[in-house]
Amino acid sequence: MQRMTKLATALGALAIVVGACGGAATEAPATGAPSTAPSTAPSTAPSTAPSEEPAAAPLEGSLTIWHTYASGAGTEKATYDAIIADIMAKNPGLKVTTTVQNFFGAGNIFEKYALEAQTGGGPDMFIVPNDSLGAQVRSNLLEPLDTLAAGKLGDFAPLSVDGCTVEGKLYCIPESLKAVGMYYDKTAVPTPPTTVDELVQMQKDGTIKAGFNQGAYHNFGFWAAYGGKLMDDTGKCIADTTGVDKAHQLFKDLKAAGASWSGANNYAKVADAFKQGQINVLVDGPWASGGYVETLGDKLAVAALPSGPVGASQPITGTDGWFVNPNSKSKELAVAVALLISTEYEQQFVDKAGHIPAYMKATVTDPITRGFALAVANGFARPQVKELDNFWGNFDNALNEVLDKDTDALVAVTTACTKMNEANGK
């Protein structure tokens, strides 16, 4: 969307703070983003000592939680499990039952939650990115949290709170921010590509062996490198006239040069290849950093996505949050547990799972996590307009057409854009 200038202002604070921790941030170019503009972002400077507050009453009751932490390539599930075990040990009257859900494919957490919540079921609470927040709100599948969380989010980055908000109402407790970056093995790739031309050429001459997840989310950032925009201010898809086809031609060129692609809904393929050294450059997110650090150790590094002829790449920046089911009988308890995890326990997600914290008192010192904090700062804030509901499937299909069927890039993008507009009545 044509509103990116305000995101650059919104995220300037994050860029400055991260730069003070060991690297200068790149200013995001004005190529289109949502108009909401928070003024600060999560700190990567050491946190101040917490103020003394009265001891909270023990948590009591039963709570069911869904998550997808086992779907990634990192250490998120182990970190979550340890956190929940510790919370229950310190609150003997609390019982938390967790069910792991799939993030990808048929029956994923979004589909399953919608199906169950519509018929009065589902968990008390679940944690996911704000991928489908707008659609869930418009389907009355989420509990508004303004009253339950009133006065309790002052230490959270405004960008993260904004990512939990639709039409002025709060629908989640923020946990972390995320955007993809470019992992690389610095022993095999001492100098990573900084432009898309270098990316292709280095793949051609064998300087790098790159891998990519085959989905619109992971590769959206490359659109801005060619000036590509998804929607105008009315929600009409304009990808077919703004250079998005050039990004899809890049994807085709990379495959022709020998780059690896995961195939549809096969995230583990390139993640495992990176861990095993079969590829040494991979576009992925901070949620996977724990698993990559375990296998690559000090060889692991992260850089921004390469820029293009028009400007910097801008990956989608999203908020992971704790969402509460309107059917829950334990809404207050759910919010209390969510706030507890996202504050007192958030440092564990930062240190062990590479999360970019929404809680500004958490400390980011790891260079990998700092690199992703910069990716967040230079990203494209995820829109929550209803028109985005018809983006994902159509542009996943466009990428699959280009990569798997050798469809002309402009034809594939035009088809996706037309279908998106038809579905949105544009």
Side-chain angles (χ1 to χ4, degrees), residues 50-321:
S51 58
E52 292 186 5
E53 297 180 356
L59 298 172
E60 295 184 346
S62 298
L63 199 64
T64 58
I65 298 177
W66 286 3
H67 70 66
T68 64
Y69 286 147
S71 297
T75 55
E76 291 179 301
K77 183 179 182 299
T79 303
Y80 168 87
D81 288 344
I83 288 171
I84 293 299
D86 191 63
I87 291 175
M88 287 197 294
K90 292 176 179 176
N91 297 272
L94 174 67
K95 180 181 179 181
V96 177
T97 301
T98 300
T99 303
V100 179
Q101 304 292 337
N102 293 325
F103 189 81
F104 298 102
N108 61 62
I109 190 169
F110 299 102
E111 294 178 357
K112 187 173 180 179
Y113 174 74
L115 183 64
E116 295 197 15
Q118 287 169 349
T119 56
D124 293 300
M125 180 169 69
F126 60 104
I127 183 164
V128 291
N130 62 342
D131 295 26
S132 298
L133 170 56
Q136 290 172 326
V137 169
R138 289 184 285 275
S139 298
N140 299 313
L141 296 177
L142 297 175
E143 179 72 15
L145 304 179
D146 301 88
T147 300
L148 291 173
K152 299 176 181 178
L153 299 181
D155 290 326
F156 287 77
L159 175 62
S160 70
V161 178
D162 185 65
C164 285
T165 303
V166 177
E167 296 182 354
K169 291 186 178 181
L170 183 75
Y171 288 95
C172 67
I173 303 300
E175 186 274 318
S176 60
L177 293 155
K178 60 175 54 173
V180 300
M182 185 172 65
Y183 287 103
Y184 64 100
D185 179 343
K186 59 188 177 183
T187 62
V189 186
T191 304
T194 59
T195 69
V196 292
D197 288 344
E198 289 179 355
L199 178 64
V200 175
Q201 187 58 48
M202 291 173 75
Q203 178 65 47
K204 284 181 178 178
D205 63 26
T207 306
I208 64 171
K209 294 182 289 185
F212 300 88
N213 286 291
Q214 194 165 317
Y217 170 79
H218 278 83
N219 299 289
F220 180 92
F222 287 105
W223 291 20
Y226 296 91
K229 302 177 181 69
L230 174 59
M231 292 180 280
D232 64 17
D233 289 336
T234 71
K236 180 180 178 181
C237 179
I238 55 173
D240 54 337
T241 61
T242 57
V244 174
D245 60 298
K246 295 180 176 64
H248 283 68
Q249 184 61 49
L250 167 69
F251 307 146
K252 183 181 288 193
D253 292 345
L254 284 165
K255 184 173 184 178
S260 299
W261 288 85
S262 68
N265 300 320
N266 194 5
Y267 175 84
K269 178 181 177 181
V270 288
D272 291 343
F274 186 65
K275 290 179 179 180
Q276 295 164 13
Q278 297 167 1
I279 58 176
N280 49 38
V281 170
L282 175 64
V283 174
D284 206 349
W287 56 86
S289 65
Y292 297 146
V293 169
E294 280 188 350
T295 53
L296 276 78
D298 292 340
K299 298 189 297 181
L300 186 67
V302 67
L305 299 186
S307 61
V310 174
S313 292
Q314 294 178 326
I316 294 173
T317 294
T319 299
D320 269 25

